[in-house]
């Protein structure tokens, strides 16, 4: 099977790393895999991680450029490749494809909770699609794409409830074997807590964890790994609550750092207010680190509720504090769950499972 993945860019980030891993796993399953990167934004480190059996095409469109020349290059390239399936990772790319022959072999993955509008193409959309690439939302034209994949049951349900678009769940995957496993039995004092995520507190809930740390008064030390627009706000909140010694902002770190050092922490917390999946939660489980997540979102699907992790009421700082205190005082129980979680995540969320499922479903 000849598969073409189309990425907007290949900059440093969790989703981009996962997409490279999926492509590598698919070529290992004897698929003919090619990758098209549209923008001139790509990480040399990530490019080097792509299997040498995969052909990578760099279109090198300059960000913000409204020119049409890249569309000609893209469609000439696709006609030359003649793929059995075109796998989009952003639905608005569908309108960039010229001709029914290409569009009818197209599929798309919705990598987050659905938002925005499903636009019907009018005259301007059909003939000047480049003008609309900057639109917000992640469901544009999704009702026209032949096959739609959702990264979790939560995403599938919202896509149906909001837009009446049916989809097939294919969970995201990680390279479980790459994560160093936590072996120590006792937690640090104070307990070492980590969160790996973009600093977007209104979505990811870092402010909830900072407020919990203030309430716990030195019982935990929290490290935030990631960067984002909320950095200054979160720093100010930390100073306002006078808990600077208990909070550390480590900034963005390469995937190799996460794989090597996640196991050094005692507890992983994902306090998201809304979240489509929970890739970093799966990574913590692969490191055999106990996890605590908010209920009702994608991360709770990864942990099967409280089967493989601990759950607190979404947005409730008091319940977050309560659960952390329980884990501190019942750490042997937390470790037992973490051991079960390790096996579960290897069986369910390894990238090889994801890659094979996509290959099985492309032409099903």
């Amino acid at each position: 099977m000849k598969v073409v993945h189309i990425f907007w860019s290949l900059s440093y980030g969790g989703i981009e790393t996962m997409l490279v891993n999926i492509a590598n796993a698919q070529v290992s399953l004897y698929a003919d895999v090619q990758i098209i990167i549209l923008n001139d934004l790509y990480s040399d480190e990530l490019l080097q991680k792509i299997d040498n059996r995969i052909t990578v095409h760099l279109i090198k469109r300059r960000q913000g450029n409204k020119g049409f020349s890249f569309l000609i290059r893209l469609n000439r390239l696709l006609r030359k490749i003649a793929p059995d399936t075109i796998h989009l990772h952003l639905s608005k790319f569908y309108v960039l494809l010229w001709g029914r022959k290409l569009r009818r072999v197209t599929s798309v993955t919705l990598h987050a909770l659905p938002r925005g509008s499903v636009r019907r193409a009018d005259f301007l959309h059909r003939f000047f699609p480049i003008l609309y690439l900057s639109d917000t939302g992640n469901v544009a034209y999704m009702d026209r794409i032949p096959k739609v994949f959702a990264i979790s049951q939560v995403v599938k349900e919202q896509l149906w409830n909001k837009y009446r678009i049916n989809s097939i769940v294919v969970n995201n995957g990680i390279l479980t074997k790459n994560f160093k496993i936590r072996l120590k039995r006792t937690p640090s004092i104070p307990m070492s807590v980590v969160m790996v995520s973009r600093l977007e507190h209104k979505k990811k809930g870092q402010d909830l964890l900072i407020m919990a740390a203030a309430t716990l008064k030195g019982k935990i030390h929290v490290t935030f790994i990631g960067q984002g627009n909320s950095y200054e706000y979160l720093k100010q909140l930390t100073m306002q609550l006078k808990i600077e010694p208990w909070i550390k902002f480590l900034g963005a770190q390469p995937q190799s750092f996460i794989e090597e050092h996640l196991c050094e922490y005692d507890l992983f917390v994902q306090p998201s207010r809304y979240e489509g999946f929970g890739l970093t939660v799966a990574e913590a489980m692969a490191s055999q680190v106990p996890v605590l997540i908010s209920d009702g979102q994608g991360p709770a699907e990864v942990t099967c509720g409280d089967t493989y992790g601990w759950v607190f009421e979404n947005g409730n700082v008091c319940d977050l504090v309560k659960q952390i205190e329980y884990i501190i005082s019942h750490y042997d129980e937390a470790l037992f769950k973490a051991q079960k979680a390790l096996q579960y995540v290897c069986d369910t969320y390894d990238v090889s499972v994801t890659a094979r499922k996509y290959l099985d479903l492309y032409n099903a």
Side-chain angles (χ1 to χ4, degrees):
M1 174 178 288
K2 191 178 292 185
V3 181
V4 173
H5 292 275
I6 299 182
F7 300 173
W8 190 230
S9 62
L10 202 63
S11 58
Y12 197 70
I15 290 180
E16 288 90 341
T17 300
M18 180 199 66
L19 296 178
V20 169
N21 292 339
I22 289 173
N24 286 345
Q26 287 181 333
V27 82
S28 296
L29 293 169
Y30 307 106
D32 178 353
V33 181
Q34 302 192 39
I35 293 174
I36 298 175
I37 301 172
L38 296 178
N39 276 349
D40 61 354
L41 179 62
Y42 48 86
S43 162
D44 289 334
E45 180 184 352
L46 274 181
L47 284 176
Q48 291 170 8
K49 289 185 177 180
I50 295 175
D51 192 296
N52 58 19
R53 292 171 291 180
I54 296 174
T55 303
V56 179
H57 306 275
L58 303 177
I59 299 297
K60 295 186 177 180
R61 169 186 178 266
R62 191 173 69 254
Q63 285 183 283
N65 187 356
K66 300 297 185 183
F68 291 83
S69 61
F70 92 96
L71 287 176
I72 297 172
R73 296 200 307 276
L74 171 64
N75 283 276
R76 281 179 178 170
L77 176 60
L78 287 171
R79 286 196 294 271
K80 181 179 179 181
I81 296 171
D84 297 305
T85 188
I86 300 172
H87 192 155
L88 306 179
H89 296 277
L90 197 59
S91 63
K92 66 180 69 176
F93 293 159
Y94 178 75
V95 78
L96 304 180
L97 306 179
W98 293 346
R100 293 180 181 177
K101 188 173 181 179
L102 293 178
R103 290 186 172 186
R104 70 170 177 245
V105 297
T106 300
S107 61
V108 65
T109 295
L110 182 56
H111 287 284
L113 293 172
R115 57 187 175 82
S117 62
V118 179
R119 180 184 294 109
R120 288 291 182 183
D122 56 20
F123 177 87
L124 288 177
H125 291 131
R126 289 199 305 272
F127 291 98
F128 302 100
I130 191 65
L131 300 177
Y132 300 92
L133 286 181
S134 60
D135 284 0
T136 58
N138 58 6
V139 294
Y141 310 108
M142 195 166 279
D143 59 336
R144 292 174 171 239
I145 299 175
K147 189 157 291 182
V148 178
F149 302 114
I151 59 171
S152 68
Q153 190 65 31
V154 171
V155 171
K156 174 184 173 69
E157 289 172 358
Q158 289 202 19
L159 188 58
W160 175 255
N161 292 338
K162 290 182 178 181
Y163 303 98
R164 285 297 184 263
I165 295 174
N166 200 11
S167 58
I168 304 168
V169 175
V170 179
N171 297 125
N172 283 340
I174 62 172
L175 287 168
T176 56
K177 63 181 176 59
N178 283 13
F179 288 85
K180 191 174 178 180
I181 295 174
R182 186 185 189 280
L183 297 176
K184 69 173 184 173
R185 298 294 304 173
T186 57
S188 308
I189 300 175
M191 175 180 273
S192 178
V193 175
V194 66
M195 179 180 178
V196 183
S197 192
R198 292 190 309 277
L199 300 182
E200 297 178 9
H201 71 281
K202 291 182 179 179
K203 176 182 179 181
K204 303 291 186 176
Q206 286 94 348
D207 55 323
L208 302 174
L209 187 50
I210 288 174
M211 287 186 280
T215 302
L216 288 163
K217 298 179 178 178
K219 290 184 179 180
I220 64 173
H221 182 279
V222 180
T223 298
F224 292 104
I225 299 176
Q227 61 186 10
N229 297 330
S230 293
Y231 173 72
E232 291 299 332
Y233 171 82
L234 296 170
K235 284 285 287 186
Q236 285 293 105
L237 179 61
T238 300
M239 294 172 62
Q240 178 185 333
L241 295 173
K242 297 180 170 46
I243 57 170
E244 295 100 313
W246 305 330
I247 304 294
K248 183 177 183 180
F249 294 92
L250 208 55
Q253 297 296 325
Q255 183 65 19
S256 57
F257 178 93
I258 305 298
E259 293 167 356
E260 178 72 19
H261 295 286
L262 200 54
C263 64
E264 297 170 2
Y265 296 92
D266 303 316
L267 177 65
F268 180 95
V269 179
Q270 185 73 32
S272 299
R273 290 180 168 90
Y274 59 97
E275 189 81 55
F277 182 63
L279 197 67
T280 56
V281 175
E283 292 176 346
M285 292 163 67
S287 302
Q288 201 168 249
V289 175
V291 297
L292 170 61
I293 50 91
S294 54
D295 66 4
Q297 303 297 311
E301 189 175 323
V302 177
T303 63
C304 299
D306 61 2
T307 302
Y308 300 109
W310 305 87
V311 182
F312 75 95
E313 183 182 352
N314 196 319
N316 188 330
V317 175
C318 292
D319 195 41
L320 174 57
V321 170
K322 178 183 175 182
Q323 296 301 327
I324 292 174
E325 287 184 319
Y326 184 90
I327 292 169
I328 291 173
S329 59
H330 297 80
Y331 201 68
D332 283 344
E333 185 180 342
L335 288 178
F336 179 71
K337 276 192 181 184
Q339 290 170 357
K340 292 197 302 178
L342 173 60
Q343 185 60 54
Y344 175 74
V345 79
C346 290
D347 293 341
T348 310
Y349 293 107
D350 189 82
V351 71
S352 61
V353 178
T354 304
R356 185 176 294 280
K357 191 167 185 181
Y358 275 132
L359 291 175
D360 290 343
L361 290 170
Y362 282 143
N363 293 328

